[in-house]
Amino acid sequence: MKKKILNVLLIFTLFISLVLLTACGETKENDEKKTSKNATDGKEIIKEFEKCIEEKDEKKITKLFNLKDIEKFLSEEYDEDDVEAGFKYVFENDMLEYKINKITKVESKEDMEEILDTEISDEDSSEFQEHLKNYSIYYVNVDVNGQETQDMFAIDEDDGEYSIIYCGILEFCLSASYLNDMNSNLSKQEIAIFNADFELYEGTQRGSNVKVLVQNVITSNSSNESHIIEINYNDSIAKDITELKNISNNISSTKSYSVEFEKDKDGYINEIIIEEE
């Protein structure tokens, strides 16, 4: 399901990238960067990019980008760690297959309008013309995860050195990695909230407090079947309601007990050890 959702995100991102190239970015009028006049050279770095994806080499891919110009082009702040982490995430989760079918250089605003099948406004046209002066723009027919779609590349040339300034697939990888981090943070919050009901009772506690703890476990186990907590008391383990109630009945409200926790691989408390002191 996660891969299916990210595939939808990918197609959406690649479509948006076609529009972004006509409307995003800031370019200094006195910028002296050269534009590659040799379409073959621009195509070569795109093909190298494809090869790096096939090899699942996020480090090589990162080196293909001019990150300083990415920031200027998209008015976003990215560093090598961001790019590398984005591609690493999609590679590790087997989310990206990328096969180029055709590479076409965009020579003019009219070429872009034909590709987008829409007219470019005068305001966007001015910015796009600036992009064409400073970068080589390529429209790429590509199969991504078995689906035919399109990508866009902005290529920079400086003293014979070629670098990728922007491509739609980069945004997809950054977005996928960001969503993963966001979901991970949400998961951590969920775990913290779950554990909070029990961690209050860690350490030495009076029996009355331990009884409350056991009742919290009964309530949790009744509503969270995916995160059942066992209580280890007097070397016997209990997790169903009847057994847990028996433990509560055997705990003296006036005595002191030590309470310790064990957690599963995800960080959820899954065992509570109670010992009389």
Side-chain angles (χ1 to χ4, degrees), residues 78-199:
Y78 297 118
D79 58 26
E80 289 187 2
D81 290 341
D82 294 327
V83 176
E84 187 172 323
F87 281 100
K88 182 178 181 180
Y89 175 72
V90 297
F91 291 156
E92 287 181 344
N93 290 275
D94 196 26
M95 293 178 181
L96 182 59
E97 295 178 0
Y98 194 90
K99 179 178 174 54
I100 292 174
N101 297 319
K102 183 180 179 181
I103 303 173
T104 304
K105 186 174 183 182
V106 179
E107 301 281 1
S108 64
K109 181 191 78 169
E110 288 71 26
D111 286 348
M112 180 61 77
E113 288 178 331
E114 183 177 350
I115 289 169
L116 297 176
D117 194 25
T118 187
E119 290 187 7
I120 299 175
S121 68
D122 291 340
E123 181 180 355
D124 291 341
S125 175
S126 177
E127 293 186 8
F128 183 66
Q129 295 291 355
E130 286 297 317
H131 288 320
L132 285 177
K133 290 179 182 178
N134 291 278
Y135 311 106
S136 296
I137 308 298
Y138 292 88
Y139 173 80
V140 181
N141 295 94
V142 59
D143 289 335
V144 179
N145 297 337
Q147 300 183 46
E148 185 176 346
T149 184
Q150 298 80 36
D151 200 354
M152 274 290 189
F153 284 80
I155 305 297
D156 180 53
E157 184 270 331
D158 187 6
D159 293 333
E161 296 290 330
Y162 290 84
S163 57
I164 300 172
I165 304 304
Y166 170 87
C167 64
I169 202 69
L170 170 63
E171 284 200 77
F172 163 70
C173 294
L174 292 171
S175 297
S177 180
Y178 170 77
L179 288 175
N180 177 63
D181 290 341
M182 184 171 63
N183 289 334
S184 177
N185 289 335
L186 288 175
S187 296
K188 290 177 181 177
Q189 292 176 15
E190 291 174 358
I191 293 169
I193 292 171
F194 177 86
N195 290 344
D197 287 338
F198 314 107
E199 289 177 332

Side-chain angles (χ1 to χ4, degrees), residues 32-74:
E32 296 181 353
K33 283 188 174 296
K34 300 177 181 178
T35 303
S36 172
K37 302 300 182 181
N38 188 333
T40 301
D41 291 328
K43 291 179 179 179
E44 284 179 356
I45 195 170
I46 295 173
K47 291 177 180 178
E48 186 176 351
F49 175 81
E50 177 190 32
K51 183 179 179 182
C52 290
I53 291 180
E54 183 179 354
E55 296 173 349
K56 297 186 176 181
D57 193 331
E58 66 274 5
K59 293 185 181 297
K60 283 186 179 179
I61 287 179
T62 302
K63 293 183 183 300
L64 296 179
F65 284 89
N66 184 329
L67 297 181
K68 181 179 179 181
D69 277 1
I70 285 177
E71 179 180 338
K72 181 177 68 174
F73 193 79
L74 292 178

Side-chain angles (χ1 to χ4, degrees), residues 1-8 95:
M1 176 62 73
K2 179 170 67 174
K3 185 172 181 179
K4 183 177 180 180
I5 292 172
L6 286 171
N7 278 345
V8 173
M95 293 178 181

